[in-house]
Amino acid sequence: MKCALVGCGYWGEKVLGALCDPSTQESRDLGVLEPFGKQALQKADFTLIGVYDSSLGNAQNVHRAYPHLHIYPSYEALLADKQVEAIFLITPPVSHFALAKAALESKKHIFVEKPLALSSKECVLLYGLASKQGVVLHCDHIFLYAPAVQWLHAHIQDFGQIFSIHARRASFGRFQKEVSVVWDLALHDVTILEYVLGGRVLENMKPCAKLVDVSGYLALADIGFSGFAREPNISIHTSWLSPKKVREMVIVGTKGVGVYDELVESKLTLFSIDSALGRQFGEIENVIKSTDRELANLSQNFQNLQSPTAKPAQYKQIFTHPVLSPTPPLVSSIAHFYTQILRKQICLELVEHTIRVVQILEKIDAATL
């Protein structure tokens, strides 16, 4: 299937590389499942024939690296090319709605970098237009295709009752005036949590956020989510001001702790609780569920838990990481886009997920202190 790329900046270059990668595999099976299904994703069969970028410098860089690619003089010229069946739209978020709408009106399948749009209303309008035109609209929530995140989604119950989840996502730069760090970085953690926790847990919690303005850039954010007593304590820290790149999430439960770090080879480090503390957690859970007479023991259990003579928590590392597919998430996301086109059907679960994520981000904006 012939396709074109719009936007050749930082992430556009990654997509360009994935589409032009000449490497072949003995098996087309990527070893990664569809995020909302049980079928294995198969390698996509796209042929990139041209690119467009509003920056002449970016376009010239692409032409030097890939001289066989056609450089379109305008977006309108690309849309008019009947050879192009699919478009990869990798542009700033503020441009997504208008560019995607024009492409859908031209009956092109569209792969859009996150976020799909800057409002849930615009997302709904785009999906409605895609349905009307009979084409696929795919938003690249890339971490839905990360094998480590898929593992957490499948095994979240193994952690027992989740006490807390703390995410940190920081680096220096890629400052943007049009959107805050929430819509750039925190979006990824919201996506991961919404998917891993399931059951619309995050959607039903109340967010609050504090953003820091640095020279007109909303470059740092601390976000918290609160809910009912037995729901986890969730916090997200994001920053464009960190000299050190951080991509980490720590999940703490009654039965174990998981550390997900995107920047290390193992990705996931898992620990089990092997101590009196772990047993006391279980006892407290049983007391909470027991009769009124037994509830009287709850206070004593907490006193024992806090006693200086109580045995401290001991964590036993059970393994450094589960067996995960080495396939890059971007390759899998592109494959899912291709799969939907072949089926002539948009993944409805992905549509609902994409809209929910934007709705949660809108709630965070509304709750900013």
Side-chain angles (χ1 to χ4, degrees), residues 181-241:
V181 70
V182 172
W183 288 79
D184 178 43
L185 295 183
L187 180 151
H188 285 307
D189 293 306
V190 169
T191 296
I192 292 169
L193 291 170
E194 208 281 334
Y195 176 62
V196 167
L197 295 176
R200 299 194 172 184
V201 171
L202 200 65
E203 181 186 23
N204 294 327
M205 298 179 77
K206 182 179 179 181
C208 64
K210 182 176 181 180
L211 272 69
V212 176
D213 187 316
V214 180
S215 301
Y217 296 94
L218 294 174
L220 186 150
D222 284 294
I223 305 163
F225 290 86
S226 60
F228 295 108
R230 292 181 66 81
E231 289 178 335
N233 176 29
I234 297 175
S235 62
I236 299 173
H237 171 78
T238 56
S239 174
W240 286 330
L241 304 172

Side-chain angles (χ1 to χ4, degrees), residues 19-35:
L19 291 171
C20 295
D21 186 355
S23 65
T24 59
Q25 300 178 21
E26 292 183 5
S27 171
R28 290 179 58 84
D29 185 346
L30 298 179
V32 178
L33 298 178
E34 297 179 34

Side-chain angles (χ1 to χ4, degrees), residues 92-109:
V94 70
S95 68
H96 287 180
F97 178 74
L99 295 179
K101 182 174 180 291
L104 293 172
E105 289 172 343
S106 298
K107 293 193 175 183
K108 311 286 190 185
H109 302 291

Side-chain angles (χ1 to χ4, degrees), residues 281-318:
F281 280 151
E283 290 169 5
I284 291 171
E285 283 187 313
N286 291 333
V287 168
I288 291 174
K289 299 173 184 176
S290 64
T291 64
D292 290 341
R293 180 178 60 80
E294 292 171 315
L295 286 174
N297 297 324
L298 180 60
S299 175
Q300 185 60 46
N301 277 352
F302 273 113
Q303 290 177 13
N304 292 339
L305 187 62
Q306 297 170 351
S307 169
T309 61
K311 185 178 179 181
Q314 298 293 324
Y315 291 109
K316 179 181 179 182
Q317 186 170 336
I318 52 177

Side-chain angles (χ1 to χ4, degrees), residues 103-324:
L104 293 172
E105 289 172 343
S106 298
K107 293 193 175 183
K108 311 286 190 185
H109 302 291
I110 307 294
F111 176 107
V112 184
E113 182 186 8
K114 60 80 187 171
L116 177 58
L118 295 180
S119 76
S120 55
K121 181 179 178 181
E122 289 180 340
C123 291
V124 171
L125 288 172
L126 290 176
Y127 280 123
L129 181 56
S131 178
K132 179 181 177 181
Q133 297 289 74
V135 294
V136 168
L137 171 60
H138 175 86
C139 183
D140 180 29
H141 283 296
I142 191 167
F143 289 108
L144 297 183
Y145 305 91
V149 173
Q150 290 197 353
W151 191 96
L152 287 171
H153 171 74
H155 296 86
I156 191 64
Q157 300 301 323
D158 296 352
F159 292 97
Q161 180 192 344
I162 304 298
F163 287 134
S164 70
I165 301 176
H166 179 59
R168 295 188 301 147
R169 190 172 294 268
S171 55
F172 187 78
R174 285 222 293 143
F175 296 92
Q176 301 179 61
K177 284 281 189 182
E178 296 84 3
V179 295
S180 72
V181 70
V182 172
W183 288 79
D184 178 43
L185 295 183
L187 180 151
H188 285 307
D189 293 306
V190 169
T191 296
I192 292 169
L193 291 170
E194 208 281 334
Y195 176 62
V196 167
L197 295 176
R200 299 194 172 184
V201 171
L202 200 65
E203 181 186 23
N204 294 327
M205 298 179 77
K206 182 179 179 181
C208 64
K210 182 176 181 180
L211 272 69
V212 176
D213 187 316
V214 180
S215 301
Y217 296 94
L218 294 174
L220 186 150
D222 284 294
I223 305 163
F225 290 86
S226 60
F228 295 108
R230 292 181 66 81
E231 289 178 335
N233 176 29
I234 297 175
S235 62
I236 299 173
H237 171 78
T238 56
S239 174
W240 286 330
L241 304 172
S242 173
K244 180 181 179 181
K245 188 173 182 178
V246 180
R247 301 287 190 267
E248 182 185 77
M249 180 177 290
V250 180
I251 301 172
V252 179
T254 54
K255 296 181 180 179
V257 175
V259 179
Y260 168 42
D261 190 336
E262 297 164 16
L263 303 183
V264 300
E265 184 178 356
S266 60
K267 305 300 181 189
L268 276 176
T269 304
L270 305 173
F271 303 86
S272 64
I273 294 178
D274 184 20
S275 68
L277 176 61
R279 290 191 293 275
Q280 286 175 346
F281 280 151
E283 290 169 5
I284 291 171
E285 283 187 313
N286 291 333
V287 168
I288 291 174
K289 299 173 184 176
S290 64
T291 64
D292 290 341
R293 180 178 60 80
E294 292 171 315
L295 286 174
N297 297 324
L298 180 60
S299 175
Q300 185 60 46
N301 277 352
F302 273 113
Q303 290 177 13
N304 292 339
L305 187 62
Q306 297 170 351
S307 169
T309 61
K311 185 178 179 181
Q314 298 293 324
Y315 291 109
K316 179 181 179 182
Q317 186 170 336
I318 52 177
F319 48 83
T320 55
H321 62 88
V323 177
L324 302 172

